[in-house]
Amino acid sequence: REEQYVISAFFSRLDSLITLHQRKYDKLCVLKKSMLDKMFPKGGSLYPEIRFAGFADPWEQRKLGEVARRVTRKNENGDSDLPLTISAQYGLVDQRTFFNSQVASKDMSGYFLLHRGEFAYNKSTSADSPWGAIKRLEKYDMGCVSTLYICFELLSGDPDFLVTYYETDRWYKAVQLIAAEGARNHGLLNIAPDDFFETQICIPKRIDEQCRIGAVFNRLDSLITLHQRKLELLRNIKKSMLDKMFV
């Protein structure tokens, strides 16, 4: 009986730790969602609901093509053999790991070659991303993406801010306006690159305000990832202990 008590106490403690990190993770996700809603103007306004002290100027409407440039370089020299895909939740990820297989062609010379820090727009829609998803390559130095993607590099402004902006729904209307009617062919929006770079984005005039916003969400994402990893680790420990501590 004493051994039973020790085993049950161990797993009770483990469950408490899992619950604790789950709550922290959930709270951070709710906080991020709330901050995304309040720190970016909505309803045609040029003023966010909350902002950092010292900033009072109205935000400005800019065409994406004014702050970014399209990337169309091909992987002609075989610089990368890493096939990438966009996940609305995880960003640009290794296609082989994400799908447990390689969907891309083995010969990727005709694919776009994306470098770290550049962005890609996946026009494929889903429940999580009704107008597609725009993500920045952060995990790898370079990788290959389908030519169905629209790729671009930022010429001016803070990249962390733009990453966060495209996590909001503020850009949906601009894309909705250029999507051809009846364009959802197997969930893929029919959007021409030239039209995409004509879409309006709403950004702070001052680069330092962009940097402050980008930094706070970058920090929030790091905390969310930290608790997510701790959760996965604790769950794996529990699974392993359940397997090894019972006959």
Side-chain angles (χ1 to χ4, degrees):
R1 181 167 294 184
E2 183 182 356
E3 187 176 7
Q4 291 180 33
Y5 287 146
V6 173
I7 292 171
S8 63
F10 171 76
F11 280 100
S12 178
R13 175 62 179 154
L14 205 49
D15 284 338
S16 295
L17 283 172
I18 289 172
T19 300
L20 174 66
H21 285 291
Q22 182 68 60
R23 285 175 180 166
K24 286 182 177 180
Y25 173 78
D26 291 342
K27 284 183 178 178
L28 285 167
C29 288
V30 170
L31 174 63
K32 181 180 178 181
K33 185 178 179 181
S34 175
M35 297 298 280
L36 283 171
D37 183 59
K38 294 181 178 181
M39 293 188 72
F40 289 82
K42 54 187 171 183
S45 172
L46 295 177
Y47 296 90
E49 187 175 336
I50 59 173
R51 65 200 305 186
F52 291 104
F55 301 105
D57 296 334
W59 288 24
E60 59 182 356
Q61 295 279 354
R62 300 283 299 276
K63 289 181 181 179
L64 178 62
E66 294 175 353
V67 297
R69 177 173 57 200
R70 190 181 179 197
V71 170
T72 57
R73 82 174 70 84
K74 295 288 186 70
N75 188 41
E76 294 172 339
N77 298 321
D79 293 321
S80 175
D81 61 356
L82 175 64
L84 298 173
T85 191
I86 286 184
S87 159
Q89 183 177 359
Y90 300 109
L92 278 153
V93 294
D94 186 339
Q95 189 185 94
R96 297 165 298 190
T97 305
F98 192 71
F99 292 116
N100 292 321
S101 64
Q102 180 161 327
V103 179
S105 168
K106 289 184 179 180
D107 178 12
M108 291 187 287
S109 59
Y111 282 59
F112 287 144
L113 179 65
L114 205 64
H115 288 168
R116 184 189 294 272
E118 294 175 342
F119 292 77
Y121 172 39
N122 181 1
K123 297 178 283 184
S124 181
T125 63
S126 66
D128 293 334
S129 50
W131 295 100
I134 299 171
K135 300 293 179 180
R136 179 178 57 173
L137 181 57
E138 299 173 328
K139 297 178 181 178
Y140 313 101
D141 287 332
M142 64 179 71
C144 302
V145 297
S146 166
T147 52
L148 292 173
Y149 288 10
I150 299 175
C151 305
F152 61 94
E153 61 177 331
L154 191 62
L155 298 175
S156 64
D158 179 61
D160 286 335
F161 170 83
L162 197 63
V163 167
T164 307
Y165 178 79
Y166 282 120
E167 288 190 27
T168 72
D169 61 2
R170 304 301 192 263
W171 58 280
Y172 287 0
K173 186 176 180 181
V175 169
Q176 188 177 6
L177 290 171
I178 62 168
E181 199 157 339
R184 293 174 186 266
N185 182 18
H186 301 293
L188 190 67
L189 295 170
N190 183 15
I191 294 174
D194 288 346
D195 292 336
F196 176 70
F197 286 99
E198 289 292 311
T199 57
Q200 297 275 347
I201 58 175
C202 188
I203 59 177
K205 290 180 181 179
R206 290 173 53 177
I207 185 67
D208 50 345
E209 184 174 11
Q210 291 184 36
C211 292
R212 290 286 297 276
I213 295 169
V216 75
F217 281 100
N218 193 21
R219 175 62 179 153
L220 205 49
D221 284 338
S222 295
L223 286 171
I224 289 171
T225 300
L226 175 67
H227 287 293
Q228 190 175 32
R229 286 176 179 165
K230 285 183 176 179
L231 260 176
E232 290 172 358
L233 177 61
L234 287 167
R235 285 171 178 159
N236 288 335
I237 289 173
K238 181 179 179 181
K239 183 179 179 181
S240 176
M241 291 297 102
L242 284 170
D243 183 58
K244 294 178 179 180
M245 291 182 71
F246 290 86
V247 178

